[in-house]
């Protein structure tokens, strides 16, 4: 019923002065490979969709959301949607979104900002939740200047097609951005960040008591088979392949009602 929505994206590559294509100054091709993964995953056009366990296939769904690198700057000039910025800080963390935004930012009402940079420790990425009255998001704070995704450059893009030496397995297939985009649109982790009674507010994702790392398709938790292939678990990239209908309803509700793109 709902029409496909296309979202203009700007990627801010916050680098340390390396030549384009080296280190944190990732290539245009690596960025484009990530946008392709997002478009496949959010339209359920991913080639591994066929690997979704048969028991979960009936709830796997097409999110009807697409992403495109912006073609126009906020000033109305032509662009490829990629901004490269030199930084003198060698590593960023969970509290540094505002620093990244101060280096480069396009209005969140018109663009989805993605900052790609060097992140500390083992942080793969993080996203800001939307303002929404949906269960589990009641107290989400939302600063328009930090609205978007912050991504580790070693897990931004996919190694299936080209060879991008900076990408590191098992997070080298672009699924970190798919996962973070789920948060951006209001999805909680599939285990609800708690025990069996803690919910992700989606009925069609089985409860589980903790995250799953690796890829054990037989994993059981809370007395039922876990949906470890869901993008909102912590499974390896090659093991993830679905969002569900209830996750779609949550994301589409945010997309169609969040103040993020109206007046914030
Ligand atoms: N730890 C991150 C988060 O909670 C991302 C996990 C991504 N997992 C992956 N297989 N790429 O937002
Ligand atoms: Zn997460
Ligand atoms: Ca659930």
């Amino acid at each position: 019923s709902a029409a496909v929505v296309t979202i203009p994206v700007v990627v801010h590559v916050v680098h340390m002065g390396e030549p384009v294509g080296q280190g944190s100054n990732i290539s245009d091709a690596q960025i484009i490979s990530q946008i392709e993964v997002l478009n496949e995953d959010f339209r359920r056009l991913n080639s591994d969709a066929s690997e979704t366990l048969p028991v979960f296939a009936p709830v796997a769904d097409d999110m009807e959301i697409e992403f495109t690198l912006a073609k126009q700057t906020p000033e109305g000039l032509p662009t490829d949607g990629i901004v490269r910025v030199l930084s003198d800080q060698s590593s960023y963390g969970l509290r540094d979104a505002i620093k990244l935004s101060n280096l480069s930012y396009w209005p969140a009402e018109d663009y989805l900002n993605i900052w790609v940079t060097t992140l500390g420790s083992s942080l793969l990425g993080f996203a800001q939740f939307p303002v929404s009255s949906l269960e589990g998001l009641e107290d989400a704070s939302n600063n328009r200047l930090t609205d978007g995704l912050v991504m580790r450059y070693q897990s931004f893009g996919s190694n299936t097609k080209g060879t991008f030496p900076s990408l590191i397995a098992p997070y080298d297939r672009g699924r970190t951005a798919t996962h973070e985009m789920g948060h951006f649109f209001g999805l909680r982790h599939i285990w609800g960040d708690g025990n069996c009674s803690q919910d992700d507010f989606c009925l069609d994702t089985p409860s589980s008591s903790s995250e799953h790392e690796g890829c054990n398709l037989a994993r059981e938790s809370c007395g039922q088979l876990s949906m470890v292939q869901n993008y909102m678990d912590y499974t390896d990239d090659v093991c993830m392949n679905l969002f569900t209908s209830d996750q779609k309803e949550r994301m589409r509700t945010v997309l169609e009602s969040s103040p993020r793109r109206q007046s914030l």
Side-chain angles (χ1 to χ4, degrees):
S1 63
V4 174
V5 171
T6 301
I7 300 183
V9 171
V10 54
V11 175
H12 311 277
V13 180
V14 179
H15 63 84
M16 291 292 294
E18 305 97 322
V20 174
Q22 286 182 37
S24 60
N25 201 1
I26 60 169
S27 66
D28 289 0
Q30 186 172 331
I31 292 165
I32 290 162
S33 77
Q34 179 62 73
I35 302 297
E36 285 173 358
V37 169
L38 286 168
N39 283 322
E40 291 163 6
D41 290 353
F42 276 78
R43 295 304 317 276
R44 196 156 173 78
L45 295 171
N46 48 306
S47 59
D48 51 4
S50 56
E51 289 171 34
T52 298
L53 290 183
V55 64
F56 294 131
V59 297
D61 209 346
D62 168 7
M63 301 300 105
E64 295 189 288
I65 300 174
E66 297 183 357
F67 305 87
T68 184
L69 285 167
K71 291 173 183 65
Q72 225 182 39
T73 69
E75 294 77 31
L77 298 172
T79 178
D80 60 4
I82 299 171
V83 181
R84 298 181 182 277
V85 227
L86 181 63
S87 163
D88 57 8
Q89 183 168 328
S90 57
S91 169
Y92 289 86
L94 273 173
R95 298 199 181 131
D96 291 335
I98 193 66
K99 284 192 192 172
L100 293 164
S101 178
N102 287 339
L103 288 172
S104 188
Y105 165 82
W106 288 7
E109 295 82 358
D110 301 317
Y111 304 95
L112 197 168
N113 288 272
I114 303 182
W115 293 273
V116 181
T117 192
T118 307
L119 293 182
S121 58
S122 55
L123 197 53
L124 296 173
F126 57 95
Q128 184 168 291
F129 280 125
V131 172
S132 174
S133 54
L134 282 178
E135 278 186 293
L137 293 173
E138 298 90 347
D139 57 3
S141 61
N142 184 298
N143 176 351
R144 61 189 289 281
L145 298 176
T146 51
D147 201 27
L149 272 52
V150 175
M151 295 291 305
R152 182 187 196 83
Y153 78 83
Q154 297 97 329
S155 57
F156 191 79
S158 175
N159 240 340
T160 31
K161 288 168 192 162
T163 340
F164 304 118
S166 59
L167 290 174
I168 301 174
Y171 306 114
D172 58 346
R173 298 298 165 96
R175 260 64 196 260
T176 302
T178 301
H179 175 108
E180 300 310 331
M181 203 61 85
H183 288 316
F184 180 85
F185 289 118
L187 297 189
R188 308 295 316 223
H189 288 135
I190 195 165
W191 68 100
D193 294 308
N195 60 25
C196 297
S197 65
Q198 204 71 37
D199 204 1
D200 67 347
F201 310 104
C202 293
L203 279 174
D204 62 6
T205 59
S207 295
S208 65
S209 62
S210 61
E211 70 275 23
H212 176 68
E213 290 181 0
C215 187
N216 175 11
L217 299 184
R219 194 232 186 185
E220 288 184 22
S221 184
C222 306
Q224 52 198 325
L225 186 66
S226 289
M227 190 187 278
V228 302
Q229 294 170 312
N230 194 283
Y231 297 122
M232 299 316 290
D233 208 334
Y234 271 2
T235 316
D236 292 344
D237 278 16
V238 291
C239 193
M240 294 179 156
N241 52 49
L242 81 149
F243 283 125
T244 68
S245 301
D246 287 350
Q247 288 176 319
K248 175 180 189 175
E249 190 178 337
R250 224 176 138 77
M251 290 199 275
R252 297 293 309 208
T253 300
V254 164
L255 195 57
E256 286 151 30
S257 67
S258 169
R260 169 182 279 152
R261 296 185 188 287
Q262 293 164 17
S263 57
L264 267 190

